[in-house]
Amino acid sequence: MNDQEKITSNQLMAIMLSTIIGIGILTLPRTVTEAAGPDGWMLVLAGGVVAIILSVVISRLGLMFPGKTVVEYSGDIITKPLGFIFSLGFFTYYVLFCAFEARVFAEVTKQFLLDRTPSEAIIITMLLGAAYLARQDIATVGRVGEMLVPVFILPSILFLLPGIPEMDLTNLLPFMRTSPGKLLTGFGTIVTSYLGFEALLLFQPFMARPRDAAKAMTVALSAIILIYVLAVVTAVAMFGVVEIQQLIWPTFSVYRVIEIPGAFIENIHGVVMALWVVAVYTTLAVFFFAAVTILGRILALKEYSFTALPLALLIYFLALVPNNVSQVYNYLDAFSLYLGIPFGFVLPAVLYIIARVRGMGKEGGNGREKQAKKSG
Amino acid sequence: MKSKLKRAVSLVLAAGVMLSTAGCWDRIEINERIFVLGLAIDKFEPGKDVQAGEDGAEQQEEGSKQPEESPRNRLVVSIVFPNVGLLKGEGAIVSEDAKFAVSTVGPNIFEAVRQFNTRLNGNIFFGHVKAILLGEALVKDEELLMEVLDGLEREQEISRNVDVAVVKGKAKDALFIKPLVEPIVGTYIEKIFRQRKTGRFYPKNFGKVVTSIRETGGAVLPRLVVGEKEYNIAGGCLVKDRKFRAWLGELEVRAIQWLENMAGEDVISVNVNGVSVPFELTELKRRKEIWRDDAGDVNLHIILECEGNIEGYILAVDQDLMNEAFIQQVERAVEREMVAQCTGVMDKFQNEFQLDVWGIGNHIRKFRPEIWEDVKDNWQEAFTELSVDISACVKVRRVGVIK
């Protein structure tokens, strides 16, 4: 990886913001309200805190093995064969994630924007664009992230302002009346909306200063928590806890209601839709990049960008597997539960604990100090 | 040299890729679109469809023959769209009508719209629908009404902000008249809705109506009466238990809005010293207090805080309005009037309709969750047993420009 350029911690933040915000934010207000009624936004907050904790754990793990990605050090920690299985699973996870990202993108775009364009065409163009970025090195991905994050975040928030008169914040009441048991069961589904942060397992060694990863992750995830809470609060305030559960993509429906008074374009949902395309693109491209990187490293290839196009083909066919929108979301739920939670939350923590127990931390700790002196 | 060639080749390639991939399946030229501004949906009633709107009668019925009775014919769907050519000033070729209205019969809205595709030369687009009108017979049919509401909400082109009204009689007729002031029916209705100078109808957009039906089990929709060259939107149509329940009078609808904290700047006339005094209501704030008395019954106290102006009295020298005692007299009279109207409506909804149209249950759930725990399982019954006390506090601010 020495021939690759390094990324700054700002670029890591941008990558994380653009990666984690993707298809999940569209359904988030509905899923949290189904889980916890008016207290849903607190679940979002709690889920984000867990994601921050896990990303700090991952960054510690990365610091123990400077210069290595999870593909290499998982072999060191849990023996080579198990590490290989882990990496393969991790690879599958990203490939499937790409497929879901592409499919949901196609479903939503067809529903709201291009109802006569074939899904295949939507998916292919998106995948080709993502494959192009996935062939580049990490620094390019970082720069694209830096460029695109403000493009989709700032206008989306600004466009909410004309909708304020339509919102009734009392819809968030009563406060803290959901039973703890209900909150806990809902929690499992909410944390998966933060998936994407675990890409740090791969990206940390590419950082110019890997020590800064934890800080950058905390800042990025905090921003995402704010954006998610904003999405949930505006949607609940606009539709109320009953109606919101009927809307498949409440975050878009919010923009369907908002009208900019006197503006040439009365309905802004088309614009917001276009911004969201950017958000999905960055998510898809980063996951694609992660899949290509893992594959290259499993196969120990020197130059692995050529795997991007065949992978695009694989993702394309996977994306077309579900029959209908309901099946897409059923599969996505299963995917989040059986792959998302293990690879995002459980396995990194397990790896960290095993590494600590096996005493690998000390070596890493020394390395960290040496590095600190060098850079200091 | 070589790099120049390379650059040229890549430029050509890039242009080629862009040109070939930028083809868009969804491209529709704006003048190929039919911008539907008003959508009217009626229940198909065989034999009753003979009469039609005065103008444009020839261009409406499906193929000019009377649709026959068949299980497939369930709905009459009518649309109205502007003559874009005329508005653009393309003169001679286009027809002189400012708008076109067409109507067809079908088993559901969507199939009916496809019927239009066999008759109209454009791409029917619902993104700019300004008003949805539901016919009386449709609203009285439980199954059809819920079908229609679901279809309209599910369709992404139709905005949730679109205005809805129930037409007394046939909704179709509303689209075929030539209104006096504004030729295009959809915008005409929208403008009536937007002015907010009266409380005599309850403007609710489509999203609010379906939300209300889901949350409270019912909704009050504005009532529209079709005249010769104009409409009258006044009063309301109460939908409860998934279908029509009752027509509501204009004053009742106004009182419902007072109790919901929103009403247009309407005029309330009260009798003071034998003279009818018009009081213009400019501001209204509604507070709700809920508590449980010693017997355990739930009490609701609604306080209306109003502000407004006296608009007129009687031309005289000895009596002027710059008199605080007199102003207070007017204030008390308005208070009595408002409370009487509100109490009447509240009583009707508690006892006759048994419908919590204001979302009082929601209010209790939000602000008094401990009370809600006890009543939520049989809220409808608890609502009817609620002891409600309504009071008003009216302040006259101005009296016009003469004493």
Side-chain angles (χ1 to χ4, degrees):
Chain A
M1 84 231 27
N2 291 327
D3 51 335
Q4 292 227 13
E5 279 186 69
K6 302 271 179 180
I7 52 170
T8 65
S9 65
N10 274 345
Q11 280 168 339
L12 180 74
M13 277 190 248
I15 290 178
M16 283 304 156
L17 271 164
S18 59
T19 306
I20 297 172
I21 300 176
I23 53 172
I25 193 166
L26 294 189
T27 48
L28 183 70
R30 173 171 53 86
T31 48
V32 294
T33 311
E34 278 167 357
D39 290 329
W41 61 275
M42 285 191 294
L43 270 190
V44 175
L45 199 70
V49 171
V50 170
I52 290 178
I53 294 169
L54 258 298
S55 63
V56 170
V57 168
I58 291 173
S59 78
R60 286 274 175 80
L61 193 59
L63 288 176
M64 289 181 191
F65 305 93
K68 286 182 177 177
T69 70
V70 72
V71 180
E72 289 93 8
Y73 66 65
S74 63
D76 294 354
I77 299 174
I78 50 173
T79 70
K80 274 266 175 322
L82 279 180
F84 175 74
I85 293 170
F86 171 82
S87 305
L88 211 60
F90 206 34
F91 168 73
T92 320
Y93 162 75
Y94 275 123
V95 169
L96 287 176
F97 215 148
C98 285
F100 278 115
E101 220 36 68
R103 178 59 186 264
V104 172
F105 171 73
E107 290 297 334
V108 175
T109 317
K110 253 182 105 65
Q111 182 66 63
F112 286 98
L113 210 58
L114 309 171
D115 60 342
R116 292 200 296 179
T117 309
S119 308
E120 290 82 357
I122 298 174
I123 295 176
I124 287 173
T125 36
M126 198 60 167
L127 279 178
L128 286 181
Y132 178 71
L133 190 57
R135 286 172 59 92
Q136 313 299 314
D137 64 0
I138 181 94
T140 317
V141 177
R143 281 196 294 269
V144 168
E146 265 183 319
M147 242 161 40
L148 294 182
V149 162
V151 169
F152 67 83
I153 291 181
L154 294 179
S156 312
I157 294 176
L158 282 180
F159 282 145
L160 287 176
L161 295 179
I164 289 175
E166 294 282 328
M167 296 179 198
D168 177 8
L169 283 175
T170 64
N171 283 342
L172 293 163
L173 292 171
F175 179 63
M176 287 291 268
R177 278 267 160 184
T178 320
S179 67
K182 213 175 163 198
L183 281 177
L184 267 181
T185 39
F187 188 71
T189 55
I190 302 315
V191 283
T192 58
S193 54
Y194 288 95
L195 284 178
F197 71 88
E198 76 294 331
L200 183 67
L201 288 167
L202 291 171
F203 294 159
Q204 197 174 9
F206 298 123
M207 285 184 73
R209 289 151 62 92
R211 290 179 303 129
D212 296 344
K215 203 174 140 201
M217 291 300 290
T218 311
V219 175
L221 281 166
S222 307
I224 292 165
I225 293 174
L226 278 180
I227 291 166
Y228 276 8
V229 168
L230 188 70
V232 171
V233 166
T234 48
V236 173
M238 203 159 254
F239 300 116
V241 288
V242 177
E243 183 69 13
I244 200 170
Q245 298 185 27
Q246 300 292 330
L247 301 165
I248 300 181
W249 300 288
T251 309
F252 265 150
S253 298
V254 165
Y255 291 101
R256 294 280 296 143
V257 172
I258 295 173
E259 283 175 359
I260 296 185
F264 174 65
I265 303 175
E266 222 175 42
N267 293 323
I268 48 173
H269 74 279
V271 181
V272 174
M273 181 88 220
L275 297 174
W276 177 76
V277 171
V278 177
V280 173
Y281 172 71
T282 50
T283 309
L284 185 59
V286 172
F287 285 154
F288 207 144
F289 179 82
V292 168
T293 311
I294 299 174
L295 185 65
R297 284 171 178 261
I298 292 177
L299 302 176
L301 298 172
K302 271 219 155 86
E303 158 64 41
Y304 42 73
S305 61
F306 70 89
T307 55
L309 279 176
L311 262 187
L313 202 67
L314 176 66
I315 293 170
Y316 168 74
F317 283 115
L318 285 173
L320 293 178
V321 167
N323 284 324
N324 52 44
V325 62
S326 152
Q327 212 171 49
V328 170
Y329 276 103
N330 286 341
Y331 286 176
L332 185 56
D333 286 345
F335 166 79
S336 310
L337 190 63
Y338 297 117
L339 281 177
I341 292 191
F343 282 99
F345 296 90
V346 180
L347 291 175
V350 169
L351 281 180
Y352 179 69
I353 292 167
I354 296 176
R356 270 335 260 272
V357 169
R358 289 186 61 185
M360 293 165 136
K362 276 178 196 138
E363 191 194 329
N366 291 339
R368 188 171 153 202
E369 271 160 39
K370 265 179 220 157
Q371 216 179 18
K373 269 176 203 160
K374 238 191 251 168
S375 57
Chain B
M1 203 56 212
K2 207 176 179 186
S3 72
K4 236 181 200 172
L5 186 75
K6 217 174 166 183
R7 198 180 278 178
V9 168
S10 53
L11 224 116
V12 169
L13 272 180
V17 166
M18 271 194 244
L19 285 175
S20 59
T21 56
C24 179
W25 279 265
D26 287 278
R27 185 193 59 102
I28 299 166
E29 295 297 332
I30 195 158
N31 52 13
E32 287 170 9
R33 275 204 161 156
I34 285 179
F35 292 98
V36 177
L37 290 180
L39 176 65
I41 302 157
D42 284 296
K43 183 181 179 179
F44 175 69
E45 291 166 303
K48 286 197 190 170
D49 265 333
V50 201
Q51 47 91 257
E54 321 99 60
D55 295 303
E58 58 282 17
Q59 56 179 335
Q60 52 177 316
E61 280 309 339
E62 185 182 345
S64 83
K65 68 169 196 295
Q66 175 67 17
E68 52 202 84
E69 183 172 2
S70 99
R72 281 182 50 76
N73 290 344
R74 298 169 68 217
L75 288 177
V76 180
V77 177
S78 321
I79 57 173
V80 65
F81 51 94
N83 184 346
V84 180
L86 185 74
L87 297 181
K88 277 197 300 192
E90 277 176 6
I93 304 176
V94 294
S95 128
E96 272 179 23
D97 292 324
K99 61 127 172 61
F100 304 112
V102 288
S103 180
T104 190
V105 180
N108 51 48
I109 310 173
F110 305 98
E111 204 166 313
V113 169
R114 293 300 190 279
Q115 298 263 9
F116 291 134
N117 286 105
T118 66
R119 296 158 57 190
L120 302 170
N121 60 345
N123 198 293
I124 299 167
F125 180 61
F126 287 97
H128 292 282
V129 172
K130 302 288 186 206
I132 294 176
L133 305 176
L134 307 173
E136 187 178 343
L138 172 76
V139 180
K140 285 180 175 165
D141 187 314
E142 176 175 337
E143 193 187 340
L144 278 181
L145 177 65
M146 290 300 131
E147 247 177 56
V148 164
L149 291 180
D150 181 275
L152 293 173
E153 193 187 11
R154 205 171 286 281
E155 171 57 51
Q156 69 90 15
E157 269 181 17
I158 295 174
S159 158
R160 298 180 71 88
N161 295 339
V162 49
D163 297 312
V164 196
V166 174
V167 179
K168 201 156 186 205
K170 290 216 157 296
K172 186 179 107 185
D173 300 343
L175 300 189
F176 284 94
I177 70 163
K178 262 194 186 146
L180 215 53
V181 275
E182 163 90 53
I184 296 155
V185 172
T187 6
Y188 178 42
I189 295 172
E190 189 200 19
K191 281 176 183 166
I192 298 179
F193 271 97
R194 292 281 182 275
Q195 58 190 355
R196 302 298 292 131
K197 276 288 186 190
T198 170
R200 278 155 196 271
F201 62 90
Y202 191 170
K204 254 197 176 175
N205 63 35
F206 182 69
K208 294 261 167 63
V209 168
V210 286
T211 307
S212 172
I213 290 178
R214 286 213 176 95
E215 281 185 355
T216 68
V220 176
L221 283 84
R223 174 177 65 189
L224 187 146
V225 180
V226 185
E228 290 241 326
K229 282 189 175 299
E230 60 182 10
Y231 304 124
N232 183 11
I233 303 181
C237 163
L238 177 67
V239 171
K240 196 209 160 193
D241 295 334
R242 306 150 67 90
K243 65 166 191 283
F244 176 87
R245 179 71 175 78
W247 295 111
L248 297 171
E250 299 176 20
L251 294 185
E252 284 172 324
V253 169
R254 189 171 71 174
I256 291 174
Q257 292 179 79
W258 287 341
L259 290 170
E260 191 156 337
N261 201 10
M262 49 174 289
E265 300 174 358
D266 210 339
V267 173
I268 304 157
S269 301
V270 288
N271 200 318
V272 182
N273 303 337
V275 179
S276 170
V277 179
F279 169 81
E280 186 197 28
L281 183 74
T282 56
E283 236 162 273
L284 186 137
K285 225 195 248 162
R286 191 263 295 110
R287 282 196 288 126
K288 278 190 206 138
E289 280 169 14
I290 288 154
W291 76 95
R292 221 187 248 283
D293 58 22
D294 300 332
D297 295 328
V298 184
N299 284 266
L300 168 69
H301 187 193
I302 297 178
I303 306 134
L304 307 171
E305 289 168 352
C306 315
E307 271 184 31
N309 314 321
I310 295 175
E311 301 252 273
Y313 189 50
I314 195 161
L315 196 64
V317 256
D318 56 333
Q319 179 59 285
D320 69 56
L321 294 188
M322 300 290 272
N323 172 344
E324 210 153 317
F326 178 76
I327 285 178
Q328 275 175 10
Q329 236 180 325
V330 176
E331 286 174 350
R332 294 302 85 76
V334 174
E335 281 168 12
R336 276 196 302 277
E337 180 66 29
M338 289 180 77
V339 169
Q341 289 186 11
C342 290
T343 315
V345 161
M346 181 59 86
D347 187 57
K348 214 169 170 181
F349 273 86
Q350 276 189 298
N351 299 320
E352 195 184 332
F353 303 141
Q354 310 200 333
L355 175 70
D356 169 24
V357 76
W358 298 275
I360 293 166
N362 245 335
H363 182 89
I364 298 177
R365 181 179 62 78
K366 286 172 184 171
F367 295 98
R368 302 301 297 269
E370 71 284 354
I371 296 180
W372 181 242
E373 282 303 313
D374 301 336
V375 295
K376 69 176 174 190
D377 295 324
N378 52 349
W379 169 240
Q380 188 168 333
E381 200 180 307
F383 170 70
T384 58
E385 284 163 6
L386 204 63
S387 46
V388 185
D389 184 25
I390 299 169
S391 63
C393 170
V394 173
K395 294 266 182 274
V396 170
R397 296 297 184 202
R398 272 157 290 273
V399 296
V401 293
I402 55 168
K403 263 173 89 170

